[in-house]
Amino acid sequence: MTQASTLSKLPPRTTSTRTRIQRSPLRWAAPILFYLAIGFFVVNLIALVGTVVIDSFAQSWFKTALPPAFTTNWYTSLGDDHDIGQLLLNTFTVAVTVTGLALMIGFPAAYILARKQFRLKGLLTVLYLLPLLIPPLVYGIPMATLLLRLNLGGSILGIIIINLIPILPFVILVLTPFIEQVDVSLESASRMLGAGRLYTFRRIVLPLVIPGMLTAGVLAVVRTIALFDLTYLVATTASSQTLVVALYGDAVAAGIRAHQSISALAVIYMLTTMAFVIVALLFVKPTQFAVQIKTNTTKGG
Protein backbone atom coordinates (compact mmCIF):
# COMPACT_ATOMS: atom_id res chain seq x y z
CA MET A 1 0.00 0.00 0.00
CA THR A 2 1.46 3.30 -1.01
CA GLN A 3 1.91 6.26 1.35
CA ALA A 4 -0.64 8.31 -0.60
CA SER A 5 -3.34 5.67 -0.13
CA THR A 6 -2.53 5.41 3.58
CA LEU A 7 -2.87 9.16 4.07
CA SER A 8 -6.13 9.18 2.14
CA LYS A 9 -7.68 6.74 4.66
CA LEU A 10 -6.85 8.94 7.65
CA PRO A 11 -9.81 10.91 9.04
CA PRO A 12 -9.82 14.53 8.00
CA ARG A 13 -8.90 17.17 10.56
CA THR A 14 -11.89 18.75 12.15
CA THR A 15 -12.33 22.46 12.64
CA SER A 16 -11.76 22.21 16.39
CA THR A 17 -8.48 20.34 15.85
CA ARG A 18 -7.27 22.98 13.41
CA THR A 19 -8.28 25.74 15.82
CA ARG A 20 -6.48 24.02 18.68
CA ILE A 21 -3.34 23.64 16.60
CA GLN A 22 -3.49 27.24 15.48
CA ARG A 23 -4.04 28.55 19.01
CA SER A 24 -1.40 26.40 20.69
CA PRO A 25 1.33 29.08 20.40
CA LEU A 26 -0.94 31.46 22.34
CA ARG A 27 -0.60 29.25 25.40
CA TRP A 28 2.92 30.55 25.82
CA ALA A 29 2.07 34.18 25.14
CA ALA A 30 0.21 34.83 28.41
CA PRO A 31 2.93 33.40 30.74
CA ILE A 32 5.64 35.23 28.79
CA LEU A 33 3.79 38.54 29.04
CA PHE A 34 3.13 37.92 32.73
CA TYR A 35 6.79 37.27 33.55
CA LEU A 36 7.89 40.19 31.40
CA ALA A 37 5.57 42.49 33.32
CA ILE A 38 6.78 41.13 36.67
CA GLY A 39 10.40 41.45 35.55
CA PHE A 40 9.84 45.02 34.36
CA PHE A 41 8.28 45.93 37.70
CA VAL A 42 11.07 44.30 39.73
CA VAL A 43 13.82 45.92 37.65
CA ASN A 44 12.25 49.36 38.01
CA LEU A 45 11.74 48.85 41.74
CA ILE A 46 15.36 47.80 42.23
CA ALA A 47 16.51 50.74 40.11
CA LEU A 48 14.46 53.25 42.09
CA VAL A 49 15.49 51.92 45.50
CA GLY A 50 19.10 51.48 44.39
CA THR A 51 19.27 55.06 43.14
CA VAL A 52 18.09 56.43 46.48
CA VAL A 53 20.50 54.22 48.45
CA ILE A 54 23.47 55.15 46.24
CA ASP A 55 22.55 58.82 46.38
CA SER A 56 22.48 58.70 50.19
CA PHE A 57 26.15 57.66 50.20
CA ALA A 58 27.27 59.90 47.34
CA GLN A 59 29.53 62.82 48.11
CA SER A 60 28.22 64.45 44.93
CA TRP A 61 26.35 62.98 41.98
CA PHE A 62 25.32 64.90 38.90
CA LYS A 63 26.19 63.69 35.40
CA THR A 64 28.13 60.47 35.96
CA ALA A 65 26.71 56.93 35.92
CA LEU A 66 27.95 56.40 39.49
CA PRO A 67 29.11 58.90 42.11
CA PRO A 68 32.84 59.64 41.94
CA ALA A 69 33.18 59.45 45.73
CA PHE A 70 31.20 57.99 48.62
CA THR A 71 30.70 59.15 52.19
CA THR A 72 28.58 58.47 55.27
CA ASN A 73 28.47 62.12 56.33
CA TRP A 74 24.88 62.52 55.18
CA TYR A 75 23.72 59.99 57.76
CA THR A 76 25.76 61.49 60.58
CA SER A 77 24.61 65.01 59.70
CA LEU A 78 20.93 64.02 60.02
CA GLY A 79 21.32 64.44 63.77
CA ASP A 80 21.90 68.15 63.25
CA ASP A 81 18.43 68.62 61.72
CA HIS A 82 16.40 65.83 63.35
CA ASP A 83 16.23 63.85 66.53
CA ILE A 84 16.30 60.45 64.81
CA GLY A 85 15.70 58.57 68.05
CA GLN A 86 12.59 60.62 68.78
CA LEU A 87 11.33 60.15 65.21
CA LEU A 88 11.74 56.38 65.47
CA LEU A 89 10.10 56.31 68.90
CA ASN A 90 7.13 58.36 67.67
CA THR A 91 6.71 56.17 64.60
CA PHE A 92 6.88 52.97 66.64
CA THR A 93 4.49 54.28 69.31
CA VAL A 94 1.89 55.47 66.82
CA ALA A 95 2.03 52.33 64.66
CA VAL A 96 1.81 49.83 67.53
CA THR A 97 -0.82 51.75 69.53
CA VAL A 98 -3.08 52.40 66.54
CA THR A 99 -2.85 48.76 65.47
CA GLY A 100 -3.58 47.46 68.97
CA LEU A 101 -6.60 49.73 69.44
CA ALA A 102 -7.91 48.91 65.97
CA LEU A 103 -7.73 45.17 66.71
CA MET A 104 -9.41 45.54 70.10
CA ILE A 105 -12.26 47.66 68.73
CA GLY A 106 -12.47 46.08 65.28
CA PHE A 107 -12.74 42.43 66.31
CA PRO A 108 -16.15 42.71 68.04
CA ALA A 109 -17.47 44.77 65.13
CA ALA A 110 -16.17 42.26 62.59
CA TYR A 111 -17.61 39.37 64.61
CA ILE A 112 -21.08 40.94 64.62
CA LEU A 113 -20.93 41.68 60.89
CA ALA A 114 -19.82 38.11 60.17
CA ARG A 115 -22.24 36.30 62.49
CA LYS A 116 -25.39 38.37 62.88
CA GLN A 117 -28.15 39.18 60.42
CA PHE A 118 -30.12 42.32 61.23
CA ARG A 119 -31.85 45.18 59.52
CA LEU A 120 -29.74 47.93 57.97
CA LYS A 121 -26.66 45.71 58.13
CA GLY A 122 -25.63 46.84 54.67
CA LEU A 123 -25.95 50.49 55.66
CA LEU A 124 -23.89 49.88 58.79
CA THR A 125 -21.19 48.17 56.71
CA VAL A 126 -21.03 51.15 54.35
CA LEU A 127 -20.70 53.50 57.32
CA TYR A 128 -17.83 51.39 58.67
CA LEU A 129 -16.03 51.50 55.33
CA LEU A 130 -16.75 55.17 54.63
CA PRO A 131 -13.29 56.39 55.75
CA LEU A 132 -11.76 54.05 53.17
CA LEU A 133 -14.04 55.24 50.37
CA ILE A 134 -13.65 58.99 50.67
CA PRO A 135 -10.41 61.03 50.46
CA PRO A 136 -8.71 61.36 53.85
CA LEU A 137 -8.59 65.16 53.74
CA VAL A 138 -12.39 65.33 53.53
CA TYR A 139 -12.71 64.17 57.13
CA GLY A 140 -9.09 64.81 58.14
CA ILE A 141 -9.26 68.61 58.12
CA PRO A 142 -12.40 68.87 60.33
CA MET A 143 -11.01 66.18 62.63
CA ALA A 144 -7.65 67.95 62.90
CA THR A 145 -9.44 71.23 63.64
CA LEU A 146 -11.35 69.54 66.47
CA LEU A 147 -8.17 68.01 67.90
CA LEU A 148 -6.42 71.37 67.78
CA ARG A 149 -9.29 72.96 69.69
CA LEU A 150 -9.00 70.22 72.30
CA ASN A 151 -5.28 71.03 72.65
CA LEU A 152 -4.35 67.64 71.19
CA GLY A 153 -2.51 69.10 68.23
CA GLY A 154 1.19 68.40 68.31
CA SER A 155 0.69 65.40 70.64
CA ILE A 156 1.14 61.70 70.08
CA LEU A 157 -2.38 61.11 71.39
CA GLY A 158 -3.84 63.35 68.69
CA ILE A 159 -1.88 61.52 65.99
CA ILE A 160 -3.10 58.17 67.31
CA ILE A 161 -6.73 59.31 67.31
CA ILE A 162 -6.70 60.70 63.77
CA ASN A 163 -4.84 57.66 62.39
CA LEU A 164 -7.30 55.31 64.06
CA ILE A 165 -10.12 56.61 61.84
CA PRO A 166 -8.97 54.91 58.58
CA ILE A 167 -7.17 51.98 60.24
CA LEU A 168 -10.18 50.74 62.22
CA PRO A 169 -12.45 50.10 59.19
CA PHE A 170 -9.46 48.59 57.37
CA VAL A 171 -9.00 46.07 60.19
CA ILE A 172 -12.74 45.29 60.19
CA LEU A 173 -12.61 44.73 56.43
CA VAL A 174 -9.72 42.27 56.79
CA LEU A 175 -11.08 40.40 59.84
CA THR A 176 -14.65 39.82 58.65
CA PRO A 177 -13.82 37.17 55.96
CA PHE A 178 -11.64 35.25 58.43
CA ILE A 179 -14.44 35.09 60.98
CA GLU A 180 -16.94 34.06 58.30
CA GLN A 181 -14.75 31.04 57.43
CA VAL A 182 -14.97 29.66 60.97
CA ASP A 183 -17.84 27.17 61.08
CA VAL A 184 -20.69 28.32 63.32
CA SER A 185 -21.42 24.68 64.28
CA LEU A 186 -18.18 24.60 66.29
CA GLU A 187 -19.50 27.31 68.60
CA SER A 188 -22.93 25.64 68.78
CA ALA A 189 -21.39 22.27 69.66
CA SER A 190 -19.27 23.87 72.39
CA ARG A 191 -22.30 25.54 73.98
CA MET A 192 -24.33 22.32 73.71
CA LEU A 193 -21.62 20.54 75.70
CA GLY A 194 -22.03 23.05 78.51
CA ALA A 195 -19.29 25.57 77.73
CA GLY A 196 -20.03 29.22 78.39
CA ARG A 197 -19.72 31.99 75.82
CA LEU A 198 -16.41 33.23 77.21
CA TYR A 199 -14.90 29.74 77.30
CA THR A 200 -16.15 29.06 73.75
CA PHE A 201 -14.65 32.29 72.53
CA ARG A 202 -11.32 31.69 74.26
CA ARG A 203 -10.86 28.01 73.34
CA ILE A 204 -12.73 27.70 70.02
CA VAL A 205 -13.14 31.01 68.22
CA LEU A 206 -9.97 32.85 69.16
CA PRO A 207 -7.45 30.16 68.08
CA LEU A 208 -9.12 29.95 64.66
CA VAL A 209 -9.26 33.73 64.21
CA ILE A 210 -5.72 34.48 65.42
CA PRO A 211 -4.26 34.11 61.88
CA GLY A 212 -6.71 36.74 60.64
CA MET A 213 -5.83 39.06 63.52
CA LEU A 214 -2.14 38.67 62.75
CA THR A 215 -2.79 39.43 59.11
CA ALA A 216 -4.80 42.52 59.97
CA GLY A 217 -2.12 43.59 62.45
CA VAL A 218 0.72 43.34 59.94
CA LEU A 219 -1.18 45.23 57.27
CA ALA A 220 -2.36 47.85 59.77
CA VAL A 221 1.18 48.52 61.03
CA VAL A 222 2.54 49.03 57.53
CA ARG A 223 -0.43 51.19 56.57
CA THR A 224 -0.09 53.34 59.70
CA ILE A 225 3.61 53.96 59.07
CA ALA A 226 2.79 55.10 55.54
CA LEU A 227 -0.06 57.45 56.54
CA PHE A 228 1.17 60.96 55.90
CA ASP A 229 -1.66 63.38 55.23
CA LEU A 230 -3.61 62.78 58.46
CA THR A 231 -0.44 62.72 60.57
CA TYR A 232 0.82 65.91 58.95
CA LEU A 233 -2.36 67.79 59.91
CA VAL A 234 -1.87 67.07 63.63
CA ALA A 235 1.94 66.80 64.02
CA THR A 236 2.42 70.55 64.45
CA THR A 237 5.55 70.31 66.59
CA ALA A 238 8.92 68.73 65.98
CA SER A 239 8.56 66.51 69.05
CA SER A 240 5.42 64.86 67.62
CA GLN A 241 6.65 64.24 64.08
CA THR A 242 6.99 60.77 62.63
CA LEU A 243 9.50 59.67 60.01
CA VAL A 244 7.17 60.20 57.07
CA VAL A 245 6.31 63.77 58.17
CA ALA A 246 9.98 64.63 58.69
CA LEU A 247 10.80 63.20 55.27
CA TYR A 248 8.12 65.34 53.65
CA GLY A 249 9.45 68.42 55.42
CA ASP A 250 12.94 67.77 54.10
CA ALA A 251 11.64 67.18 50.58
CA VAL A 252 9.74 70.47 50.63
CA ALA A 253 12.90 72.21 51.81
CA ALA A 254 14.92 70.66 49.00
CA GLY A 255 16.46 74.01 48.16
CA ILE A 256 17.82 74.26 51.70
CA ARG A 257 18.92 70.69 52.33
CA ALA A 258 21.08 68.62 50.04
CA HIS A 259 19.29 65.88 48.13
CA GLN A 260 21.72 63.34 49.55
CA SER A 261 20.50 64.18 53.06
CA ILE A 262 16.89 63.65 51.93
CA SER A 263 17.86 60.31 50.40
CA ALA A 264 19.54 59.28 53.66
CA LEU A 265 16.35 59.98 55.63
CA ALA A 266 14.35 58.12 52.97
CA VAL A 267 16.60 55.08 53.43
CA ILE A 268 16.04 55.17 57.21
CA TYR A 269 12.29 55.37 56.63
CA MET A 270 12.42 52.44 54.21
CA LEU A 271 14.51 50.32 56.57
CA THR A 272 12.14 51.08 59.45
CA THR A 273 9.16 49.90 57.43
CA MET A 274 11.01 46.78 56.30
CA ALA A 275 12.04 46.03 59.88
CA PHE A 276 8.41 46.08 61.01
CA VAL A 277 7.43 43.75 58.17
CA ILE A 278 10.34 41.34 58.75
CA VAL A 279 9.68 41.11 62.49
CA ALA A 280 5.99 40.48 61.82
CA LEU A 281 6.75 37.81 59.21
CA LEU A 282 8.86 35.93 61.75
CA PHE A 283 5.58 35.06 63.44
CA VAL A 284 3.15 35.32 60.53
CA LYS A 285 2.83 33.58 57.16
CA PRO A 286 0.07 35.45 55.32
CA THR A 287 -0.03 33.10 52.35
CA GLN A 288 -1.04 30.19 54.60
CA PHE A 289 -3.77 31.92 56.61
CA ALA A 290 -6.79 30.99 54.51
CA VAL A 291 -5.54 27.43 54.12
CA GLN A 292 -5.03 27.09 57.88
CA ILE A 293 -8.50 28.36 58.69
CA LYS A 294 -10.18 26.08 56.17
CA THR A 295 -8.15 23.10 57.39
CA ASN A 296 -8.96 23.76 61.05
CA THR A 297 -12.63 24.23 60.25
CA THR A 298 -12.76 20.94 58.32
CA LYS A 299 -11.11 19.06 61.18
CA GLY A 300 -13.46 20.61 63.69
CA GLY A 301 -16.50 19.55 61.65
Side-chain angles (χ1 to χ4, degrees):
M1 185 179 294
T2 63
Q3 184 178 4
S5 61
T6 303
L7 292 176
S8 63
K9 295 182 179 179
L10 293 176
R13 290 179 178 176
T14 62
T15 304
S16 60
T17 304
R18 293 173 182 172
T19 304
R20 186 167 58 253
I21 294 175
Q22 293 174 358
R23 291 182 180 177
S24 58
L26 297 178
R27 293 182 304 172
W28 303 100
I32 290 175
L33 291 176
F34 173 77
Y35 287 115
L36 285 177
I38 295 297
F40 179 78
F41 172 78
V42 171
V43 169
N44 277 273
L45 181 63
I46 294 175
L48 290 172
V49 175
T51 300
V52 175
V53 173
I54 294 174
D55 185 53
S56 67
F57 289 99
Q59 189 170 355
S60 62
W61 192 11
F62 293 101
K63 297 182 180 180
T64 57
L66 289 174
F70 295 91
T71 180
T72 58
N73 292 336
W74 303 115
Y75 287 91
T76 56
S77 64
L78 283 176
D80 300 333
D81 300 322
H82 303 289
D83 187 350
I84 300 299
Q86 186 66 42
L87 290 177
L88 292 172
L89 178 61
N90 292 345
T91 303
F92 176 81
T93 302
V94 171
V96 173
T97 305
V98 169
T99 301
L101 291 175
L103 288 173
M104 291 174 58
I105 302 172
F107 179 79
Y111 185 85
I112 292 175
L113 291 176
R115 286 286 189 261
K116 306 298 182 180
Q117 297 296 330
F118 51 89
R119 295 180 60 185
L120 303 180
K121 178 180 177 180
L123 178 61
L124 181 61
T125 304
V126 172
L127 291 177
Y128 271 132
L129 302 181
L130 201 58
L132 299 178
L133 302 177
I134 61 178
L137 292 181
V138 173
Y139 59 86
I141 293 177
M143 187 67 186
T145 303
L146 176 62
L147 292 174
L148 291 173
R149 289 179 179 177
L150 296 175
N151 295 324
L152 291 176
S155 65
I156 298 298
L157 179 58
I159 297 175
I160 291 172
I161 293 174
I162 200 169
N163 280 310
L164 189 61
I165 296 175
I167 297 300
L168 177 58
F170 178 77
V171 167
I172 294 174
L173 182 65
V174 175
L175 281 178
T176 303
F178 281 92
I179 299 175
E180 289 176 343
Q181 292 183 63
V182 179
D183 196 349
V184 184
S185 61
L186 297 177
E187 301 177 52
S188 301
S190 176
R191 289 195 293 268
M192 289 177 61
L193 294 174
R197 291 184 178 272
L198 182 60
Y199 183 87
T200 300
F201 170 78
R202 184 168 56 89
R203 299 298 299 270
I204 303 297
V205 179
L206 189 59
L208 295 176
V209 181
I210 280 180
M213 297 184 67
L214 293 176
T215 304
V218 172
L219 297 177
V221 165
V222 176
R223 187 177 175 86
T224 304
I225 295 175
L227 282 177
F228 159 73
D229 39 13
L230 297 178
T231 305
Y232 179 76
L233 293 174
V234 182
T236 56
T237 61
S239 60
S240 63
Q241 287 185 344
T242 59
L243 276 173
V244 66
V245 175
L247 180 59
Y248 173 78
D250 286 1
V252 172
I256 301 175
R257 292 185 175 86
H259 58 86
Q260 293 96 333
S261 178
I262 302 173
S263 297
L265 188 58
V267 170
I268 294 177
Y269 172 67
M270 178 185 63
L271 292 177
T272 303
T273 307
M274 292 177 61
F276 272 102
V277 175
I278 291 173
V279 170
L281 291 179
L282 293 177
F283 306 96
V284 180
K285 295 180 181 180
T287 56
Q288 299 179 0
F289 287 162
V291 177
Q292 289 178 359
I293 290 180
K294 290 179 180 179
T295 304
N296 290 336
T297 305
T298 302
K299 291 180 179 179

